[in-house]
Amino acid sequence: MHDALTGLPNRRQFSSDLDNHLPVQGGERLSLMQIDLDDFKPVNDTLGHAAGDVVLRETAKRLQAVLSEGAIAYRLAGDEFAAIQRGGRLGQAERLAEAIITAFKEPFTVDGIDVFVGASIGIAIAPEDGNDGEQLMRAADIALYAAKNDGRGRARSFNRSMLIMLEQREMLRRSLRVALQERQFFIEYQPLAEAGVIVGFEALLRWQHPFAGIVPPNVFIPMAEADGLMGEIGEWVLEQACRQASAWPAHFTVAVNVSPAEFLRKGLTDRVAHILDSADLRPERLELEITESVLLERTTNNLDTLHTLEVLGVRISLDDFGTRYSSLAYLKNFPFDTIKIDRYFIRDVATDEKSQTIVRSIIAMAHGLGMRVTAEGVETETQANWLQKRGCDRLQGNLLSVPMSPDAIEGFLRQASLATQ
Ligand code: C2E
Ligand code: MG
Ligand code: MG
């Protein structure tokens, strides 16, 4: 009934305890917490399983240190933990959850390295949210899902409106399966400028849902990835973008985002070569944007893939730089063409000294490595001036233009060239 690694009671003990305590009666309460570690997988993948084990054992210790009387922690599986608290007054479960989250703000030290692994928590309370094990687990699961969705590192208590959100997401998810056949996707293009001159566009995918309106990529791309649909969708984006770009004046580049699922799919380089060929687009005109999370996956040899793409002549950019696990080792091992600094640092770059220091350092580092720098999300002249003065090579953002339909590009370029004359 115990988990050998952490010494905590295991899932069987958990189920039997739930069955014993439920249903609660006569004003009694029982709180169930589903606790899930954030970013545990990268620790396992980058530092190895022994490091993962250290984090799991330390997690058990931290949980036990904050649990008050009448509460028990369990390890259910992998990086999933749970706690049951009996006789809780309202608000007590939330306080305990907050204490757990605070305990995970401290880094875990593994072989002298500090790693940050947060916790997300879903809370369900009997009898309000359910009065048998199955119902209560389901409610806590939904609350956990909401907590993860809210940006992780937080606790959420179950409420009915989460069901509506979940149903909407399920509806979207189901309709995603037919979106490609029904031609509900389209692409918008956002310009990038170098020294005030437009040099290319980034392709940004949009979904025109028949009832829900335009669904943003941040909502549907993770769903498509989880359902294994992103490979096919990504291929469509690449085809469309290359075809459209081949109609632009020959010095404009097109940037296409490649998600981890697409990148790890077999035969990426062959597909890219084939698509370039059919669209009659020179490889140098295509920039593939990958994120740091692609480089974390050690399952296939992604550096090999990058090098093959490089040989093909395609440019590679590192997108959203600085927001996830930035492994500088990859910058040493692979000659990216461009580093794109995430909007998070650009937003307040005109005023915030910390952002300024970070942006200046990224520019210096990139240039030292022979890479270019693009700033994302530039919205004001002040930001643009600040960035240009510090040698940032390219600017992208609403200041230049919001993403536009392919039909609008010609008019936009005409106006832009008039403005610089
Ligand atoms: P990204 O590649 O970092 O793209 C930049 C995002 O910032 C776009 O959001 C763009 O509309 C937005 N943006 C640009 N300038 C500004 C600005 O000045 N202010 C503000 N507030 N926002 C600005 P979008 O189109 O919602 O795309 C979000 C993300 O979805 C993209 O981030 C990219 O990671 C992903 N994505 C978009 N299209 C594709 C695609 O075809 N394939 C894959 N795999 N991912 C895609
Ligand atoms: Mg991008
Ligand atoms: Mg980006």
Side-chain angles (χ1 to χ4, degrees), residues 114-126:
D114 279 353
V115 293
F116 287 88
V117 174
S120 296
I121 303 179
I123 306 169
I125 296 175

Side-chain angles (χ1 to χ4, degrees), residues 59-354:
T59 294
K61 276 199 205 130
R62 288 188 191 184
L63 286 178
Q64 277 174 320
V66 293
L67 289 185
S68 43
E69 223 143 290
I72 302 177
Y74 305 82
R75 179 174 178 221
L76 302 186
D79 62 345
E80 293 169 37
F81 294 79
I84 294 177
Q85 188 180 33
R86 292 175 69 198
R89 288 180 300 277
L90 270 185
Q92 197 173 328
E94 278 91 348
R95 276 197 297 282
L96 176 55
E98 281 314 317
I100 295 174
I101 288 187
T102 309
F104 281 83
K105 296 241 150 93
E106 289 297 311
F108 291 82
T109 309
V110 183
D111 290 339
I113 301 176
D114 279 353
V115 293
F116 287 88
V117 174
S120 296
I121 303 179
I123 306 169
I125 296 175
E128 285 87 345
D129 304 331
N131 212 359
D132 67 48
E134 207 171 308
Q135 272 179 0
L136 208 58
M137 277 294 278
R138 196 172 129 70
D141 265 339
I142 291 171
L144 174 63
Y145 182 78
K148 290 250 174 205
N149 230 16
D150 275 3
R152 301 152 162 240
R154 57 192 81 200
R156 292 287 308 270
S157 296
F158 174 80
N159 67 53
R160 309 257 154 226
S161 67
M162 287 174 181
L163 286 175
I164 296 172
M165 181 201 74
L166 203 72
E167 227 152 77
Q168 284 173 338
R169 289 185 69 90
E170 265 314 301
M171 184 272 289
L172 280 182
R173 215 171 143 155
R174 277 196 302 272
S175 42
L176 200 50
R177 296 209 160 264
V178 298
L180 202 54
Q181 287 95 306
E182 310 270 316
R183 300 172 185 276
Q184 291 167 4
F185 291 120
F186 62 98
I187 300 177
E188 288 192 319
Y189 294 87
Q190 188 176 39
L192 287 92
E194 195 168 313
V197 179
I198 308 296
V199 290
F201 294 85
E202 176 173 2
L204 294 162
L205 181 59
R206 307 285 178 249
W207 179 18
Q208 173 73 59
H209 187 277
F211 331 113
I214 293 186
V215 187
N218 293 336
V219 172
F220 73 83
I221 288 178
M223 292 178 183
E225 290 218 301
D227 289 359
L229 300 170
M230 204 48 216
E232 213 183 324
I233 297 172
E235 199 169 332
W236 179 85
V237 174
L238 198 58
E239 266 165 18
Q240 290 288 308
C242 288
R243 200 145 51 82
Q244 269 154 357
S246 69
W248 304 339
H251 56 285
F252 289 120
T253 58
V254 65
V256 177
N257 295 285
V258 179
S259 63
E262 299 166 66
F263 190 86
L264 299 172
R265 207 170 151 222
K266 277 218 162 50
L268 174 72
T269 34
D270 289 345
R271 278 196 303 281
V272 170
H274 176 74
I275 289 171
L276 284 169
D277 217 39
S278 327
D280 198 16
L281 193 76
R282 277 187 294 115
E284 309 83 70
R285 293 184 61 194
L286 176 64
E287 290 181 10
L288 297 180
E289 297 194 357
I290 62 168
T291 55
E292 292 155 319
S293 42
V294 164
L295 303 172
L296 278 182
E297 297 281 344
R298 285 216 176 152
T299 43
T300 60
N301 213 336
N302 39 38
L303 269 181
D304 278 353
T305 309
L306 285 174
H307 282 296
T308 324
L309 287 167
E310 193 199 9
V311 170
L312 203 66
V314 170
R315 325 231 139 161
I316 312 281
S317 312
L318 196 52
D319 204 355
D320 305 338
F321 185 75
T323 51
R324 304 289 293 169
Y325 276 81
S326 310
S327 173
L328 299 181
Y330 281 104
L331 292 183
K332 191 176 154 193
N333 293 329
F334 185 77
F336 289 97
D337 189 68
T338 304
I339 290 180
K340 299 188 81 171
I341 307 180
D342 195 75
R343 190 163 86 224
Y344 175 74
F345 303 110
I346 305 300
R347 218 168 32 197
D348 55 5
V349 80
T351 49
D352 185 79
E353 280 183 27
K354 288 184 186 147

